[in-house]
């Protein structure tokens, strides 16, 4: 009964607006009715810096479907991963968070701590803390959204945790990681690092499942599923910390 009451409260509290659906990928968002029905389902987030988009997905019939694409107000430092505290850069990579990373009373409205540094960042000696997705539309090292967008994102993430999701994966990319875009950035000093991220992007595009990512010898590695069972039914969202 408590879960049902929480579900109804969150459903009624959803903001009465439609997110900007000019999406970074070719995915078509679900309709408004189905979107509301997916409140409480497991969720997954992708961020694209260059496109300035945050995409929120929810699980439906074993696949993750786009429910909203939201313009990012601000992030700092341009493309490339964060390496040290004070470099003003926003993180890139694969992050896993749990319910304790939610900050409903953040001074930047509502916030989700990204979980930087993760195992990869630590292996590289990178430093930093309190890197967030948050509201208030202002950022130094975080991903800032409008308060309205943050309301919706936070509501779906919080509901997913309250209905049993243990870890939320947040995949942060410099851009939509197509072969053409990788070729266009082949001379970047970040290219080697980005080559570690591309398999995660490609996996989701093909399977509509969040990639299962581990850190091996200081590098990201995308694991393939052991069977035809959807990854979300196996050991998806395995913590990297």
């Amino acid at each position: 009964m408590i879960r049902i009451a929480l579900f109804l409260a969150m459903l009624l509290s959803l903001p009465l607006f439609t997110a900007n659906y000019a999406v970074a990928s070719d995915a078509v968002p679900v309709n408004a009715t189905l979107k509301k029905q997916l409140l409480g389902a497991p969720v997954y987030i992708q961020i694209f810096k260059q496109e300035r988009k945050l995409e929120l997905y929810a699980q439906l019939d074993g696949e993750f479907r786009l429910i909203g694409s939201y313009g990012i107000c601000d992030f700092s430092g341009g493309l490339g991963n964060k390496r040290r505290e004070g470099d003003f850069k926003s993180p890139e990579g694969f992050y896993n968070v749990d319910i304790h990373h939610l900050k409903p009373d953040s001074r930047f409205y509502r916030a989700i701590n990204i979980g930087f540094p993760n195992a990869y960042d630590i292996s590289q000696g990178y430093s930093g803390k309190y890197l967030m997705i948050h509201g208030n539309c202002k950022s130094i090292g975080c991903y800032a959204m409008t308060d309205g967008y943050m309301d919706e994102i936070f509501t779906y993430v919080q509901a997913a945790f309250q209905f049993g999701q243990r870890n939320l994966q947040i995949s942060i990319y410099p851009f939509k990681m197509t072969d053409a875009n990788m070729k266009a950035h082949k001379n970047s000093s970040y290219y080697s690092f980005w080559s570690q991220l591309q398999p995660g992007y490609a996996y989701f595009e093909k399977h509509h499942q969040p990639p299962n990512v581990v850190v091996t010898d200081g590098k990201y590695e995308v694991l393939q599923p052991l069977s035809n069972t959807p990854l979300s039914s196996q050991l998806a969202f395995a913590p990297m910390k």
Side-chain angles (χ1 to χ4, degrees), residues 1-8 10 161-164:
M1 291 298 294
I2 294 176
R3 282 190 172 185
I4 294 174
L6 285 170
F7 177 83
L8 292 174
M10 287 185 289
F161 283 138
Q162 290 174 336
F163 277 78

Side-chain angles (χ1 to χ4, degrees), residues 30-46:
V30 300
N31 62 49
T33 300
L34 183 54
K35 179 178 177 179
K36 285 192 174 183
Q37 292 173 355
L38 288 173
L39 184 65
V43 293
Y44 169 57
I45 288 175
Q46 289 190 132

Side-chain angles (χ1 to χ4, degrees), residues 12-177:
L12 293 172
S13 69
L14 282 174
L16 298 176
F17 68 89
T18 301
N20 178 5
Y21 290 127
V23 300
S25 72
D26 296 327
V28 176
V30 300
N31 62 49
T33 300
L34 183 54
K35 179 178 177 179
K36 285 192 174 183
Q37 292 173 355
L38 288 173
L39 184 65
V43 293
Y44 169 57
I45 288 175
Q46 289 190 132
I47 290 175
F48 297 94
K49 277 186 174 179
Q50 185 166 277
E51 290 82 358
R52 303 183 73 89
K53 291 292 180 181
L54 182 152
E55 294 183 348
L56 177 65
Y57 293 81
Q59 189 179 37
L60 175 66
D61 296 330
E63 294 186 348
F64 280 77
R65 299 277 301 275
L66 181 69
I67 59 174
S69 180
Y70 311 87
I72 296 171
C73 277
D74 195 18
F75 67 89
S76 60
L79 303 186
N81 53 333
K82 184 175 184 62
R83 296 181 174 178
R84 65 182 183 279
E85 191 166 4
D87 64 6
F88 302 112
K89 293 189 73 68
S90 302
E92 294 174 9
F94 301 105
Y95 295 88
N96 282 303
V97 304
D98 60 28
I99 195 169
H100 301 292
H101 289 78
L102 301 189
K103 309 294 180 184
D105 56 351
S106 168
R107 64 190 182 98
F108 296 104
Y109 192 55
R110 290 175 161 186
I112 302 170
N113 190 316
I114 292 169
F116 182 95
N118 64 13
Y120 172 84
D121 302 318
I122 293 170
S123 75
Q124 303 300 313
Y126 297 162
S127 63
K129 55 186 177 181
Y130 308 130
L131 281 304
M132 309 273 182
I133 300 167
H134 62 63
N136 205 32
C137 219
K138 297 177 182 178
S139 171
I140 299 178
C142 297
Y143 291 97
M145 318 298 295
T146 65
D147 288 353
Y149 283 173
M150 196 64 213
D151 258 336
E152 184 162 295
I153 295 163
F154 193 95
T155 295
Y156 274 86
V157 172
Q158 185 178 52
F161 283 138
Q162 290 174 336
F163 277 78
Q165 184 169 352
R166 295 174 61 188
N167 294 91
L168 161 68
Q169 185 168 328
I170 303 173
S171 299
I172 307 175
Y173 301 109
F175 43 78
K176 188 177 177 183
M177 304 200 80

Side-chain angles (χ1 to χ4, degrees), residues 64 96 166-167 169 209-213 230-239:
F64 280 77
N96 282 303
R166 295 174 61 188
N167 294 91
Q169 185 168 328
Q209 294 282 335
N212 191 16
V213 183
L231 186 59
S232 57
S233 300
Q234 300 178 35
L235 298 178
F237 314 110

